[in-house]
Amino acid sequence: MKRMTRTTMALILLALVIFESCKQQKVIALPQERPNILLLFLDDMDPDFGCYGNTLTTTPNIDQLAKEGVLFTRAYATAPVCSPSHTSILTGCYSTSIGASNHRSSYIDKLPEGYTILTELMSRANYFTVNFKSNGDRMFNKIYGASAKTDLNFDRGEPENNGESGKEVFDYLQIIDPMNIATYFKGGEWDKKGAGQPFFAYANIETAKKHGFEPGRIWAKERGIAVDSTRVEIPQHYADTDEVRHVLASSLDAVSHADFEVGKFLNALEKSGYAKNTLVILLSDHGATLQRHKQCLWQSGIHVPLILRWPGHIEDSWTNTELASIIDIAPTILSAAKIPVPQTMEGLNLLGDALETRNYVFATRDGMNNFFDASRTVITKDYQYIHHFFPELPFRSNPYAKRTLTFESMLELYKGDKLDTLQALYFEPEKVPYELYDLKKDGEETKNIAFNPEYQEEVKKMQEILFEWQKRTGDSILDARKLLNVPTVPINTQVDDLLKLNSK
């Protein structure tokens, strides 16, 4: 038997090193043509799927997706409301870094110099970029198929899809019939895709938002899978009322309904023949349309589902427990597509090993529907710290929170002084200046330990991390008290009014 040359031995050792590295990362290094990308974006969605441990919802399609790829258990939104998070996903940046963190108020005309939107980079690399929109009226789009919502905080232009969309940043808009999945990846604008041209497709699915709760309830009852409201486990921060049980059960039925809509896209992808070379990414922008979830920086507001599947590149059925953020979506897509990642992008490649070195992620709460506020949070593997820069402003400081998110039965109990301290927190006229939670001991964040003498070093450490990040990324918060010349900021203060004062 011939002895191996030094070159041969070196090549074998190199191959073993690469194999072991890929094994640890659960990513299979196989050279293939550039992949297609399908981004399934679920608006207002907690990780309430079977694969995340929820036993009441019926989510076979999303559960199967997780079995065929990687499920992230510590993924976070960058904001607890739509437009800043949408902006982060398509720019790979915190919205504060580009000066576009306020929701439904002033929008920046364009991205700062050096920053680029994901769709533009994909289009330049000859990707067929396409957004999906269901046929029918606006509410039909919001419940079935996809709504084509982009909701960016920059370069919005005239709404082209619905009242929540900005400038159409995709090259094509595919009109689909949710009752016929043959229309998803064939016909219409799709036929303009070149032979062999890879695609970047985006489906914004709003099925499980508040407007989908009651339709979801009806849909689930028709199929015999409706959640029994008596079996719903009531979180400690909610009072156990008939309204709370009904809304929570309906919200879970809407999750099951959303899974059904996700299944249509996955089935259509399979039937089209694209599935084998498509990286599928499923995630949400923030928590459910519920009190203490949407618009709030607690775990319930920013902990989101995140699942990736890429046949031949990602091993089946594994779990990633590292800290992940939705700012990682754009760099991950670009890396998979072999497109250089701009240095201005702050996210990491989810399929690399960089997550293992990440020690914290951030999220921000600013203006909500043009009503001013400013809070920040930093999350590590053990703790979450929340800093409220204007504690005089309550959590329910905007009409949307009062109208859409509030449980009326709990509000009445609050007025009658019948809620415990944790349950009453959301209704109080002021916030505490800051909060700290031990995520390993108190995952539901029921006890704020920020003022416990034993945790003062941790509070100081988290504050230093947060303030250094703000300074490094240019996160500038309007000094509303100084601009208004008041000791405390009034509840109805408008972001746009402060910006005008600041510009003088």
Side-chain angles (χ1 to χ4, degrees):
M1 186 175 180
K2 291 183 178 180
R3 297 174 63 181
M4 289 185 290
T5 64
R6 290 184 178 180
T7 302
T8 303
M9 290 180 67
L11 289 172
I12 292 174
L13 288 172
L14 178 61
L16 287 172
V17 169
I18 294 173
F19 175 75
E20 286 300 320
S21 174
C22 292
K23 227 172 123 186
Q24 291 173 14
Q25 299 173 29
K26 304 289 186 177
V27 179
I28 305 170
L30 294 178
Q32 285 190 0
E33 58 189 15
R34 289 189 300 169
N36 304 307
I37 310 292
L38 174 60
L39 183 55
L40 299 174
F41 192 48
L42 311 179
D43 253 29
D44 294 25
M45 182 83 78
D46 292 338
D48 280 326
F49 315 134
C51 55
Y52 277 96
N54 192 302
T55 60
L56 297 180
T57 55
T58 303
T59 56
N61 298 296
I62 294 174
D63 295 346
Q64 183 61 33
L65 186 70
K67 288 180 181 179
E68 296 170 351
V70 53
L71 178 148
F72 291 81
T73 62
R74 297 294 304 278
Y76 292 96
T78 55
V81 71
C82 297
S83 62
S85 279
H86 286 241
T87 297
S88 290
I89 287 172
L90 291 183
T91 61
C93 301
Y94 290 101
S95 60
T96 50
S97 297
I98 58 175
S101 61
N102 293 299
H103 176 62
R104 298 282 190 272
S105 54
S106 293
Y107 310 107
I108 59 176
D109 294 331
K110 60 182 180 179
L111 289 174
E113 186 176 351
Y115 291 85
T116 314
I117 187 169
L118 175 63
T119 46
E120 183 177 333
L121 294 172
M122 300 296 282
S123 184
R124 287 180 193 170
N126 197 36
Y127 265 78
F128 179 83
T129 68
V130 59
N131 196 353
F132 290 103
K133 180 184 178 183
S134 297
N135 54 14
D137 60 27
R138 181 179 176 187
M139 190 51 64
F140 181 82
N141 298 342
K142 285 176 172 284
I143 297 176
Y144 304 100
S147 67
K149 174 182 174 183
T150 52
D151 205 13
L152 302 174
N153 272 354
F154 61 91
D155 198 14
R156 290 176 69 91
E158 293 296 324
E160 295 181 33
N161 297 321
N162 61 49
E164 295 172 334
S165 291
K167 179 180 178 181
E168 187 50 59
V169 294
F170 292 84
D171 291 330
Y172 299 93
L173 183 63
Q174 176 74 358
I175 305 299
I176 62 172
D177 178 1
M179 307 307 163
N180 179 14
I181 64 172
T183 63
Y184 283 30
F185 297 95
K186 186 179 180 181
E189 294 292 284
W190 196 272
D191 288 348
K192 294 180 181 179
K193 187 178 81 69
Q197 183 183 17
F199 63 78
F200 170 40
Y202 174 91
N204 193 92
I205 300 172
E206 299 188 46
T207 309
K209 292 189 72 167
K210 189 66 174 277
H211 49 243
F213 286 8
E214 289 307 315
R217 190 74 170 157
I218 295 171
W219 177 90
K221 285 182 176 180
E222 289 174 347
R223 287 157 178 78
I225 60 172
V227 172
D228 182 350
S229 62
T230 64
R231 294 184 58 205
V232 174
E233 184 176 346
I234 306 299
Q236 293 183 54
H237 51 257
Y238 289 158
D240 190 347
T241 70
D242 289 341
E243 178 201 16
V244 169
R245 284 194 171 275
H246 173 77
V247 172
L248 292 183
S250 299
S251 71
L252 295 178
D253 287 335
V255 170
S256 299
H257 189 193
D259 175 84
F260 184 74
E261 296 302 322
V262 166
K264 292 178 181 178
F265 280 96
L266 295 176
N267 290 337
L269 188 71
E270 187 70 36
K271 290 181 181 295
S272 70
Y274 292 122
K276 288 185 178 180
N277 191 34
T278 298
L279 168 59
V280 177
I281 303 175
L282 179 141
L283 79 158
S284 179
D285 54 350
H286 51 72
T289 327
L290 295 168
Q291 180 178 305
R292 270 191 67 112
H293 289 240
K294 187 173 183 177
Q295 292 196 355
C296 293
L297 289 175
W298 294 300
Q299 293 281 306
S300 52
I302 58 175
H303 180 218
V304 295
L306 176 60
I307 300 171
L308 276 66
R309 183 190 73 183
W310 190 6
H313 290 261
I314 300 176
E315 284 190 5
D316 294 348
S317 193
W318 67 283
T319 300
N320 190 310
T321 60
E322 301 293 338
L323 295 172
S325 170
I326 60 176
I327 61 172
D328 301 330
I329 300 303
T332 300
I333 290 174
L334 292 172
S335 297
K338 301 179 181 66
I339 301 171
V341 179
Q343 292 184 348
T344 50
M345 285 193 175
E346 299 172 287
L348 304 175
N349 180 6
L350 292 168
L351 298 179
D353 56 7
L355 291 190
E356 297 175 10
T357 63
R358 175 183 269 162
N359 296 316
Y360 32 77
V361 292
F362 303 89
T364 65
R365 167 187 161 114
D366 284 289
M368 300 286 178
N369 296 80
N370 202 23
F371 286 78
F372 177 76
D373 202 350
S375 298
R376 301 288 183 266
T377 186
V378 54
I379 301 165
T380 69
K381 294 180 180 180
D382 297 324
Y383 295 96
Q384 177 175 11
Y385 174 79
I386 305 174
H387 194 97
H388 301 295
F389 289 88
F390 298 91
E392 65 265 37
L393 297 173
F395 293 108
R396 299 171 68 249
S397 59
N398 61 84
Y400 184 87
K402 296 174 181 177
R403 180 184 69 252
T404 305
L405 301 178
T406 295
F407 283 115
E408 292 299 325
S409 57
M410 286 188 64
L411 178 59
E412 290 304 311
L413 291 173
Y414 173 77
K415 291 177 179 177
D417 198 23
K418 295 180 180 179
L419 295 178
D420 63 31
T421 303
L422 177 63
Q423 295 166 352
L425 183 64
Y426 187 73
F427 299 96
E428 298 289 10
E430 295 182 351
K431 301 190 286 280
V432 293
Y434 46 87
E435 306 172 55
L436 179 70
Y437 299 97
D438 186 327
L439 298 179
K440 288 190 174 181
K441 296 179 181 179
D442 183 22
E444 289 191 18
E445 299 185 317
T446 62
K447 186 177 181 180
N448 178 15
I449 57 175
F451 302 98
N452 186 322
E454 296 180 17
Y455 291 91
Q456 292 314 294
E457 284 300 315
E458 192 63 40
V459 169
K460 182 180 178 181
K461 174 185 173 183
M462 296 292 261
Q463 288 177 340
E464 289 175 351
I465 292 172
L466 176 61
F467 299 154
E468 188 279 329
W469 172 78
Q470 288 186 281
K471 182 179 180 180
R472 173 166 45 86
T473 62
D475 176 20
S476 179
I477 293 176
L478 288 169
D479 190 345
R481 300 186 192 100
K482 183 178 180 180
L483 290 171
L484 296 173
N485 193 27
V486 293
T488 59
V489 179
I491 292 179
N492 61 351
T493 298
Q494 302 285 295
V495 174
D496 289 346
D497 291 340
L498 291 176
L499 289 172
K500 289 176 183 177
L501 289 172
N502 194 52
S503 65
K504 291 182 178 179

